[in-house]
Amino acid sequence: MTVKELIMEVGFDDLLPYLKEIIVGHFDNIYAFREAYDILRDMQPNPEFVGKVWIEQEEDWISIQSLDADFWENELAKELVLPPNTTLSKEKIAAHCIYDITFYGFSPAERIENFWKSHAPMQSKMERRKSIIQELTVSGSSFTYKDLAYLLQVEYGTRYDYHSITNGQGNRLAILLIP
């Protein structure tokens, strides 16, 4: 059974009690889990993607592996691999799957944004600066590498995602501000 097939078989109200066990103390965002559930039900799994979701169980502890770092279309296509002789209900498995899929965000766009924000600190300062220079010197840009090479020497700097509003909404210029 795939993640998509499981989500299509289990109603949100049926998995909700198990979801509440997982998100103890954070009931104020149940609406977001419901929205994510609805989005997932409406999405089509990637027919070309092949992957597995490993579900492990030890007494009351459940672990879902490989369901929190990919595009939702790919997550939906993954086959569920259950432990032998499992007694887990489909509703409980679905609750854990919904929780894991939404780990980085409650929509595909939010997930991608949050995933990269949380993994950005793994880059060194130098790698981030090189990435900024590369982004600002793309073909058609008025910047050259020579114009921005000084960024590699700045000890403390901050990148602000500011866009000039002077050229109209379609032609906004990204500006790099370094104090």
Side-chain angles (χ1 to χ4, degrees):
M1 171 182 285
T2 65
V3 174
K4 173 68 174 191
E5 291 167 342
L6 175 66
I7 289 173
M8 294 306 289
E9 282 189 27
V10 176
F12 187 80
D13 291 338
D14 298 325
L15 68 82
L16 186 57
Y18 300 102
L19 185 61
K20 286 181 177 179
E21 290 175 10
I22 300 168
I23 61 168
V24 174
H26 299 283
F27 302 132
D28 58 333
N29 63 0
I30 286 177
Y31 77 93
F33 285 102
R34 176 58 196 244
E35 288 174 359
Y37 169 85
D38 291 339
I39 291 168
L40 289 164
R41 285 181 60 93
D42 287 341
M43 291 178 82
Q44 293 302 314
N46 179 350
E48 297 174 12
F49 186 83
V50 177
K52 295 186 184 300
V53 176
W54 302 93
I55 300 171
E56 298 175 5
Q57 177 186 16
E58 277 187 40
E59 298 177 20
D60 292 338
W61 176 79
I62 297 170
S63 172
I64 306 284
Q65 310 256 329
S66 304
L67 198 57
D68 63 353
D70 206 340
F71 296 105
W72 281 12
E73 295 86 353
N74 293 346
E75 303 291 26
L76 288 171
K78 292 180 178 178
E79 287 286 330
L80 297 167
V81 180
L82 301 169
N85 304 321
T86 186
T87 58
L88 294 171
S89 69
K90 287 182 180 181
E91 293 80 8
K92 191 166 196 166
I93 295 169
H96 279 272
C97 287
I98 294 289
Y99 177 77
D100 274 33
I101 287 174
T102 59
F103 185 78
Y104 288 108
F106 293 102
S107 71
E110 183 182 0
R111 179 183 185 157
I112 291 168
E113 179 182 334
N114 290 338
F115 179 84
W116 288 114
K117 279 183 183 176
S118 69
H119 287 79
M122 289 192 277
Q123 286 184 321
S124 71
K125 284 182 182 180
M126 193 60 66
E127 288 171 331
R128 285 194 302 268
R129 289 178 184 173
K130 286 179 181 177
S131 176
I132 290 169
I133 291 171
Q134 191 174 31
E135 186 180 318
L136 292 172
T137 58
V138 295
S139 180
S141 172
S142 61
F143 291 114
T144 66
Y145 181 85
K146 183 179 164 187
D147 296 329
L148 301 172
Y150 75 93
L151 292 174
L152 300 174
Q153 309 305 319
V154 174
E155 189 171 342
Y156 299 102
T158 302
R159 176 187 175 164
Y160 296 94
D161 289 327
Y162 173 80
H163 295 275
S164 168
I165 58 171
T166 59
N167 292 329
Q169 189 168 353
N171 298 319
R172 291 185 177 171
L173 174 66
I175 297 176
L176 181 68
L177 301 173
I178 296 189

